[in-house]
């Protein structure tokens, strides 16, 4: 599963924090507006009731209203009740619950089926234990509608606002970290191209990314120096070993011509000769790889890859017959490509030798070549011992052997498949392996057609 990028992580974190903070603020604002609205209405109704009560005149055991008294004022309706709660004057709104009890000097919100009302009652005593109640009623339905509309609007606008904030934030973070992407691309190009002489371009601003780029360049410089020394050492050692190894081989071959040697002496010299030839092969392959890594030019010419494979197959038939392995070659005509003939011969010999060495007696090796989408598709397939899964991704490493003892018996150096891969890479090709332990192995490679 692919991990989330830093840009997305930062965007999600800060968007989540903003969403929580902004959501909390909006909820508090709504609650505050609702509270302020209710408080303002309470004050307005209580003041209106007080003002209306000034129109009532009390005298002994009776009271009377002034002639210009109005029971409706700016959305507030007034009602007058006796001490038993019976309506004397005024009109109760249609949907207002009539059974609402009287409660002195206490603003209340009364809820009916579809509406809410603000109610304020006050009581006046007069005469001999007489009471007169004045009630002010106003609808707060419009305020409730405003709050409900605001809530619905926020439910729509809030997610869109968060998405917009997240998108803007991601764009800003992406822009801020653009130099990081450039550094990653350049590092990948240097790594894939295996050219450690290249360096990262330094940003204009001397910030943290500038320092990071400088550190990378210093690291590449040290790596380049180390690899160059290693390559030079490999090339020098391989070159210097060729002469003494050649002398050992020639002297062993000369000694074996002596008929006076005993069987035991002959056997010992043959062991030395076998190991010397193996060392000669190893130094030759190491020298070839070292020269390639130092950028040595290769002769690229037009050649028939099918004919080249036919020559290699014929040459290795004798070795295959020793294990009673049958080699077959299937190929179309005119498989022309541009390449280094010596290297391609080495590549095919390594692949087929590998199939023979790890093949079973009375087995088969199938070499299949075909054209497909302007490319040469090749496969070397055997029914040998196979390779277990834990070894498949390591077989391309230098000196790696799945079965070390068997590799020594076969004269293997551990460089064969490593050499195969860099030869194929040199020719702009690709190679992969498919194998089932105990059943067989297939090496599938591709080259561009000429």
């Amino acid at each position: 599963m692919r991990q989330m990028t830093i840009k997305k992580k930062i965007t999600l974190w800060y968007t989540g924090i903003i969403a929580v903070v902004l959501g909390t603020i909006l909820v508090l604002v709504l609650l505050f507006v609702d509270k302020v609205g209710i408080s303002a209405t309470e004050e307005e109704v209580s003041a209106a009731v007080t003002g209306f009560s000034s129109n009532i005149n009390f005298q002994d055991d009776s009271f009377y209203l002034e002639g210009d008294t109005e029971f409706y004022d700016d959305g507030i309706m007034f009602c007058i009740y006796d001490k038993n709660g019976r309506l004397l004057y005024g009109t109760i709104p249609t949907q207002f619950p009539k059974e609402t009890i009287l409660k002195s000097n206490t603003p209340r919100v009364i809820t009916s089926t579809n509406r809410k009302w603000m109610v304020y009652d006050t009581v006046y005593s007069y005469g001999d234990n007489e009471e007169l109640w004045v009630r002010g009623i106003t609808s707060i339905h419009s305020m409730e509608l405003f709050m409900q509309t605001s809530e619905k609007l926020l439910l729509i606008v809030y997610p869109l606002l968060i998405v917009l904030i997240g998108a803007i934030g991601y764009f800003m973070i992406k822009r801020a970290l653009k130099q990081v992407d450039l550094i990653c691309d350049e590092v990948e190009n240097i790594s894939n191209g295996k050219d450690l002489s290249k360096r990262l371009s330094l940003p204009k601003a001397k910030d943290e990314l500038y320092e990071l780029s400088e550190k990378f360049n210093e690291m590449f410089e040290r790596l380049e120096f180390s690899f160059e020394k290693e390559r030079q050492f490999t090339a020098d050692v391989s070159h210097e070993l060729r002469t003494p190894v050649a002398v050992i081989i020639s002297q062993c071959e000369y000694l074996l011509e002596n008929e006076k040697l005993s069987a035991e002496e002959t056997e010992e010299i043959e062991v030395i000769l076998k190991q010397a030839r193996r060392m000669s092969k190893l130094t030759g392959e190491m020298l070839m790889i070292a020269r390639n890594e130092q950028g040595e030019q290769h002769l690229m010419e037009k050649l028939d890859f099918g004919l080249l494979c036919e020559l290699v197959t014929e040459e290795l038939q004798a070795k295959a017959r020793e294990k009673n392995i049958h080699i077959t070659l299937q190929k179309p005509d005119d498989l022309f490509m541009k390449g280094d003939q010596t290297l391609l011969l080495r590549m095919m010999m390594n692949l087929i030798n590998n199939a023979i060495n790890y093949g079973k007696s009375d087995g088969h090796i199938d070499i299949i070549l075909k054209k497909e989408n302007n490319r040469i598709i090749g496969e070397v397939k055997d029914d040998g011992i196979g390779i277990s899964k834990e070894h498949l991704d390591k077989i391309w490493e230098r000196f790696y052997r799945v079965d070390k003892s068997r590799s020594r018996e076969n004269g293997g150096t551990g460089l064969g498949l490593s050499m195969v891969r860099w030869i194929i890479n040199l020719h702009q090709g690709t190679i992969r392996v498919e194998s089932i332990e105990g059943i067989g192995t297939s090496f599938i490679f591709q080259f561009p057609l000429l």
Side-chain angles (χ1 to χ4, degrees):
M1 182 177 177
R2 187 179 178 184
Q3 292 188 345
M4 193 177 295
T5 62
I6 293 177
K7 293 189 285 290
K8 291 181 180 178
K9 285 181 181 178
I10 296 175
T11 302
L12 286 177
W13 271 105
Y14 102 89
T15 303
I17 293 171
I18 288 179
V20 172
V21 173
L22 185 59
T24 304
I25 291 173
L26 290 175
V27 170
L28 292 175
V29 167
L30 286 175
L31 292 174
F32 177 76
V33 169
D34 185 49
K35 185 70 175 176
V36 168
I38 293 294
S39 298
T41 306
E42 289 175 355
E43 292 178 5
E44 183 182 0
V45 174
S46 61
V49 169
T50 302
F52 175 80
S53 299
S54 64
N55 295 318
I56 305 173
N57 296 308
F58 296 95
Q59 189 173 5
D60 298 330
D61 291 335
S62 63
F63 68 90
Y64 64 89
L65 301 174
E66 294 183 1
D68 58 349
T69 300
E70 294 182 0
F71 289 85
Y72 183 85
D73 181 23
D74 195 20
I76 301 174
M77 301 182 73
F78 303 100
C79 299
I80 299 176
Y81 297 85
D82 62 14
K83 65 179 181 180
N84 296 318
R86 186 180 63 199
L87 180 65
L88 300 178
Y89 300 99
T91 304
I92 298 175
T94 304
Q95 298 179 353
F96 184 79
K98 296 179 181 180
E99 65 278 3
T100 303
I101 63 173
L102 295 166
K103 203 170 190 179
S104 179
N105 299 324
T106 305
R108 293 169 290 159
V109 175
I110 304 300
T111 303
S112 64
T113 307
N114 297 318
R115 285 179 177 271
K116 286 186 177 182
W117 311 85
M118 177 63 69
V119 176
Y120 181 80
D121 302 326
T122 188
V123 61
Y124 296 93
S125 299
Y126 66 97
D128 186 15
N129 198 27
E130 295 292 332
E131 290 181 348
L132 186 71
W133 289 83
V134 179
R135 169 172 283 177
I137 306 171
T138 185
S139 173
I140 58 173
H141 183 64
S142 58
M143 187 170 65
E144 289 296 316
L145 284 177
F146 170 76
M147 295 301 297
Q148 291 174 6
T149 303
S150 299
E151 290 172 3
K152 291 178 181 177
L153 186 63
L154 283 176
L155 287 175
I156 297 172
V157 173
Y158 178 72
L160 296 176
L161 184 62
I162 295 302
V163 171
L164 180 62
I165 290 172
I168 293 173
Y170 181 78
F171 174 77
M172 293 174 65
I173 293 170
K174 187 176 181 180
R175 186 178 181 86
L177 296 179
K178 184 178 180 181
Q179 186 62 33
V180 176
D181 292 332
L182 293 175
I183 291 173
C184 292
D185 292 339
E186 290 182 353
V187 169
E188 185 176 2
N189 289 334
I190 294 172
S191 175
N192 291 339
K194 296 181 180 179
D195 184 1
L196 295 178
S197 63
K198 294 181 180 178
R199 296 292 180 267
L200 300 180
S201 55
L202 298 176
K204 295 179 181 179
K206 291 190 175 182
D207 51 12
E208 292 85 349
L209 295 179
Y210 183 94
E211 293 181 8
L212 179 64
S213 300
E214 278 194 325
K215 296 300 180 184
F216 266 115
N217 285 339
E218 291 174 6
M219 179 187 69
F220 284 132
E221 188 172 349
R222 290 193 298 269
L223 285 174
E224 182 187 11
F225 178 74
S226 298
F227 278 115
E228 285 300 324
K229 288 190 69 175
E230 181 186 346
R231 289 169 183 169
Q232 189 61 47
F233 174 77
T234 302
D236 292 345
V237 169
S238 300
H239 181 76
E240 293 298 324
L241 285 175
R242 294 180 75 182
T243 300
V245 170
V247 171
I248 292 172
I249 292 173
S250 63
Q251 291 299 316
C252 286
E253 290 174 344
Y254 175 74
L255 286 172
L256 288 174
E257 293 176 359
N258 188 350
E259 297 178 355
K260 296 180 180 180
L261 291 175
S262 64
E264 184 178 352
E265 291 173 333
T266 302
E267 184 179 353
E268 290 176 353
I269 294 172
E270 285 177 347
V271 169
I272 296 172
L273 178 60
K274 180 180 179 181
Q275 293 303 318
R277 285 173 176 169
R278 181 172 176 272
M279 185 176 289
S280 176
K281 180 181 178 183
L282 175 62
T283 54
E285 290 177 349
M286 287 177 62
L287 185 59
M288 183 182 294
I289 292 174
R291 286 174 175 172
N292 174 75
E293 290 179 341
Q294 289 175 346
E296 184 175 289
Q297 297 297 316
H298 300 279
L299 178 61
M300 296 294 184
E301 57 185 347
K302 180 180 178 181
L303 55 87
D304 187 339
F305 186 72
L307 180 60
L308 180 145
C309 290
E310 188 176 340
L311 294 173
V312 175
T313 303
E314 289 177 359
E315 183 175 341
L316 294 176
Q317 286 286 4
K319 182 177 179 179
R321 279 195 292 269
E322 293 176 2
K323 295 182 67 173
N324 203 23
I325 293 176
H326 182 60
I327 303 178
T328 60
L329 172 64
Q330 303 174 35
K331 68 177 185 69
D333 296 330
D334 301 329
L335 281 176
F336 288 105
M337 64 174 289
K338 193 171 184 179
D340 186 304
Q341 181 172 320
T342 303
L343 292 180
L344 291 172
L345 281 168
R346 168 71 66 180
M347 180 205 84
M348 288 306 300
M349 290 191 73
N350 284 358
L351 285 176
I352 299 173
N353 261 319
N354 193 72
I356 294 171
N357 291 336
Y358 296 97
K360 297 176 182 177
S361 297
D362 302 319
H364 298 81
I365 297 174
D366 297 318
I367 304 165
I368 305 166
L369 306 176
K370 57 184 177 181
K371 298 178 183 178
E372 189 177 296
N373 298 328
N374 294 321
R375 297 187 73 80
I376 297 172
I377 310 296
E379 180 178 8
V380 178
K381 181 179 180 181
D382 65 64
D383 53 3
I385 62 174
I387 306 169
S388 59
K389 287 184 178 179
E390 63 265 25
H391 295 294
L392 278 178
D393 58 340
K394 300 177 182 177
I395 60 173
W396 309 107
E397 297 175 8
R398 294 180 189 176
F399 303 109
Y400 185 84
R401 300 182 182 93
V402 176
D403 186 343
K404 295 179 173 58
S405 60
R406 185 161 183 169
S407 296
R408 292 191 187 96
E409 291 174 4
N410 294 326
T413 62
L415 291 173
L417 291 179
S418 175
M419 184 176 294
V420 165
R421 187 167 66 171
W422 74 252
I423 290 173
I424 289 176
N425 289 339
L426 182 68
H427 291 81
Q428 286 79 52
T430 60
I431 186 169
R432 59 187 174 87
V433 60
E434 296 175 357
S435 184
I436 301 176
E437 192 171 8
I439 295 178
T441 303
S442 290
F443 287 92
I444 301 121
F445 55 88
Q446 297 184 33
F447 287 121
L449 274 168
L450 186 62

